[in-house]
Amino acid sequence: GQSLEQPSEVTAVEGAIVQINCTYQTSGFYGLSWYQQHDGGAPTFLSYNALDGLEETGRFSSFLSRSDSYGYLLLQELQMKDSASYFCAVRWDDKIIFGKGTRLHILP
Amino acid sequence: DAGVIQSPRHEVTEMGQEVTLRCKPISGHDYLFWYRQTMMRGLELLIYFNNNVPIDDSGMPEDRFSAKMPNASFSTLKIQPSEPRDSAVYFCASGPLAGGGTDTQYFGPGTRLTVL
């Protein structure tokens, strides 16, 4: 079946760069999305890659490679407020699939 | 824009009671989604609509769950009868067709449901 795999947790230092990977076992999907969710809050949309390559939005960048069944979210100049869970998601046919989320811990 | 509006924000009910969750999407959005989130199961898509028509309801757990979208500005998710295992945070989200529809979603604040 279709599934998205993400690391459950990642730890990084304030000011550093961190990459959160998302791998998938499906094909024919319509691109890769990323969402951020703080504790007690709702998911918020971060980025969407319709095509292979890198999309940049401020400190956040997202990358997609369909041939490698792989994508990632890159966060630069980490701030304490970036501590949150990050979800990747794809639309496959009429289905929408979310990964289980990656909990990002940031150390001062 | 006010964003996606959900009500109530918190609901505590007893097993066997009917629960109705409400959602007002962002004006002009063509897609509406209902999700459930728990620690154990993560974020699960229950159902989504395009122009008020249900597209995929394969995530609806069982016949106790039903969702309607009578018009472009209102949707309900109903659980009847409710069970303790239905306790979760329920999110409603909407998405514009121009943004990819299902690929760019804006979430409401959620309804925290507790079934005793």
Side-chain angles (χ1 to χ4, degrees):
Chain A
Q2 292 72 38
S3 66
L4 299 176
E5 299 295 328
Q6 302 179 238
S8 59
E9 291 184 277
V10 172
T11 300
V13 178
E14 188 177 15
I17 299 173
V18 71
Q19 179 174 311
I20 299 174
N21 298 324
C22 177
T23 58
Y24 44 88
Q25 288 77 43
T26 187
S27 60
F29 62 89
Y30 294 92
L32 184 69
S33 302
W34 286 94
Y35 292 82
Q36 178 193 59
Q37 185 178 27
H38 287 99
D39 285 347
T44 57
F45 172 76
L46 287 178
S47 68
Y48 171 59
N49 290 71
L51 304 172
D52 285 4
L54 190 68
E55 293 281 342
E56 298 182 74
T57 308
R59 295 187 297 114
F60 294 3
S61 303
S62 57
F63 173 81
L64 175 63
S65 170
R66 294 172 191 270
S67 59
D68 294 326
S69 298
Y70 167 69
Y72 65 73
L73 179 69
L74 191 73
L75 295 82
Q76 303 182 71
E77 301 174 17
L78 283 172
Q79 302 176 10
M80 297 305 293
K81 67 178 181 179
D82 298 329
S83 295
S85 292
Y86 294 84
F87 297 86
C88 56
V90 298
R91 178 166 63 102
W92 177 83
D93 202 5
D94 281 339
K95 306 293 184 186
I96 299 172
I97 305 166
F98 273 75
K100 295 295 185 186
T102 298
R103 177 78 182 192
L104 175 60
H105 302 279
I106 299 177
L107 304 176
Chain B
D1 200 315
V4 176
I5 299 172
Q6 292 187 246
S7 65
R9 295 291 307 276
H10 301 273
E11 176 82 18
V12 180
T13 190
E14 293 188 346
M15 182 174 62
Q17 297 297 306
E18 177 179 293
V19 175
T20 299
L21 310 181
R22 297 172 176 81
C23 176
K24 177 179 170 57
I26 294 172
S27 178
H29 281 188
D30 299 282
Y31 290 85
L32 184 139
F33 311 83
W34 283 102
Y35 290 89
R36 177 173 68 177
Q37 188 174 37
T38 62
M39 289 293 293
M40 292 297 294
R41 301 176 67 90
L43 191 63
E44 303 174 278
L45 176 65
L46 300 177
I47 185 171
Y48 77 93
F49 298 83
N50 179 18
N51 290 323
N52 313 337
V53 176
I55 302 301
D56 179 23
D57 65 355
S58 61
M60 296 286 266
E62 49 199 271
D63 292 345
R64 297 185 298 107
F65 285 69
S66 62
K68 294 182 179 180
M69 191 165 186
N71 57 62
S73 59
F74 183 67
S75 177
T76 59
L77 178 68
K78 186 175 293 187
I79 308 172
Q80 166 63 20
S82 58
E83 298 182 2
R85 60 193 169 121
D86 301 330
S87 297
V89 179
Y90 291 81
F91 289 105
C92 175
S94 69
L97 181 64
T102 54
D103 307 301
T104 308
Q105 300 180 31
Y106 298 86
F107 283 73
T111 295
R112 182 172 295 276
L113 174 65
T114 302
V115 183
L116 303 175

